[in-house]
Amino acid sequence: VAMCDQASKELEERETRLQVEKALQECMEEMGYSLLGKRSDSINDTTDSLYHMHGQTVLRVSHSRTGQIAMEIGLGETRHRVMQESEVSELVRDMGSFCGAYDEFKRRLRSKGIVEQEELFRFPASDEFAHTIDLSEFGMKEEAIQAIAQQEAGRQEGFSEQAQLYQYIDNREV
């Protein structure tokens, strides 16, 4: 009986964990972040998901078996390295903008029935937390994130060309 109870409890925990992971992914995608990869960390008993924010900026979302959710923003690379000052500045701006989006993220999770745990830490956007996130840990190659960044730059460039065209049309004399 004890073995059945244990197996039943483990199955229930697994189902709950999968439900939370699904809700996390739905919330992130609804907010415009694309899932790049996932991995399980058996040492820390977490599931880590990696999302693309923009350019080379990525967001790692870790979900533990106990229900804790941790998020960190970093520069997607295939190796850890010292970042340039301009990269650190951009990353700190991204951290700051995500701080505002975080409250929306929590609201969306609640709407999906996921009740958050007590917030343990909420670090300010600071260059002291700027770092790289190793894409190879998620089975990704640097070329993949570069392709995403180039694709985004192309969309932005296309948008600015379109905006210039509309500005030209608005300003011309008819």
Side-chain angles (χ1 to χ4, degrees):
V1 174
M3 287 182 71
C4 287
D5 288 344
Q6 179 65 25
S8 177
K9 182 180 177 185
E10 287 175 10
L11 181 61
E12 184 178 318
E13 285 177 359
R14 186 178 188 286
E15 288 175 3
T16 300
R17 189 173 188 166
L18 290 173
Q19 179 184 11
V20 171
E21 287 176 25
K22 180 181 177 196
L24 284 170
Q25 184 172 341
E26 287 173 356
C27 289
M28 296 304 289
E29 289 175 350
E30 288 169 5
M31 294 179 67
Y33 304 113
S34 306
L35 180 66
L36 296 174
K38 280 188 172 189
R39 72 178 184 133
S40 292
D41 182 346
S42 57
I43 295 171
N44 295 314
D45 200 18
T46 61
T47 300
D48 295 340
S49 300
L50 189 67
Y51 292 90
H52 178 246
M53 291 181 70
H54 70 87
Q56 282 188 260
T57 304
V58 295
L59 172 66
R60 181 192 337 230
V61 179
S62 299
H63 175 251
S64 74
R65 193 165 96 129
T66 61
Q68 292 294 323
I69 298 170
M71 300 176 144
E72 66 176 328
I73 295 172
L75 188 69
E77 293 280 340
T78 55
R79 61 182 169 34
H80 291 289
R81 64 174 176 83
V82 175
M83 295 172 26
Q84 297 175 6
E85 193 173 311
S86 62
E87 292 172 319
V88 170
S89 296
E90 184 176 340
L91 207 49
V92 170
R93 277 193 303 275
D94 291 341
M95 289 174 188
S97 69
F98 185 76
C99 286
Y102 179 69
D103 291 328
E104 173 63 15
F105 169 76
K106 291 191 316 185
R107 187 194 65 73
R108 287 176 188 250
L109 267 183
R110 280 191 303 273
S111 75
K112 295 182 183 306
I114 307 301
V115 179
E116 62 195 275
Q117 299 256 334
E118 178 184 340
E119 203 169 279
L120 299 178
F121 302 105
R122 192 168 190 177
F123 296 111
S126 167
D127 59 352
E128 116 182 55
F129 301 115
H131 65 284
T132 59
I133 293 178
D134 190 349
L135 301 173
S136 63
E137 293 176 4
F138 292 86
M140 292 188 64
K141 296 188 173 164
E142 194 166 349
E143 293 79 29
I145 196 80
Q146 291 288 348
I148 292 167
Q150 288 173 352
Q151 184 179 32
E152 180 177 285
R155 281 197 305 271
Q156 290 173 349
E157 186 176 297
F159 175 77
S160 64
E161 288 172 6
Q162 186 178 13
Q164 289 173 359
L165 176 62
Y166 286 128
Q167 185 178 13
Y168 169 77
I169 291 170
D170 289 343
N171 290 335
R172 69 185 173 130
E173 292 180 35
V174 179

